[in-house]
Amino acid sequence: MSDTPRAFPFPVGLLVLDAIGGVALALGAVGLVSGGSVLPFLAEPRVAWAFVATGAALTLYAGFEIAKRVRARKSPAR
């Protein structure tokens, strides 16, 4: 076994982007379900839906980029 740690097959920044997207998506869902009783700034449904849309977009983008980079790394070099 080697002592060097294995590097991620993609930039860690994409994981951070995915985590931010997941948090935004969860906040939007909580705002829609609770009607703003838990987090007052999410009382307006348009704000909650904006969080859901933004979180979904960030998560989808990060997921596609991660999959693209992993696939490119696993494919044989041409």
Side-chain angles (χ1 to χ4, degrees), residues 22-55:
V23 169
L25 189 61
L27 282 174
V30 166
L32 288 173
V33 171
S34 71
S37 63
V38 176
L39 298 169
F41 67 92
L42 294 172
E44 180 71 33
R46 287 184 293 176
V47 175
W49 278 113
F51 270 82
V52 168
T54 303

Side-chain angles (χ1 to χ4, degrees), residues 10-29:
F10 47 85
V12 177
L14 288 174
L15 283 178
V16 172
L17 190 65
D18 187 39
I20 292 170
V23 169
L25 189 61
L27 282 174

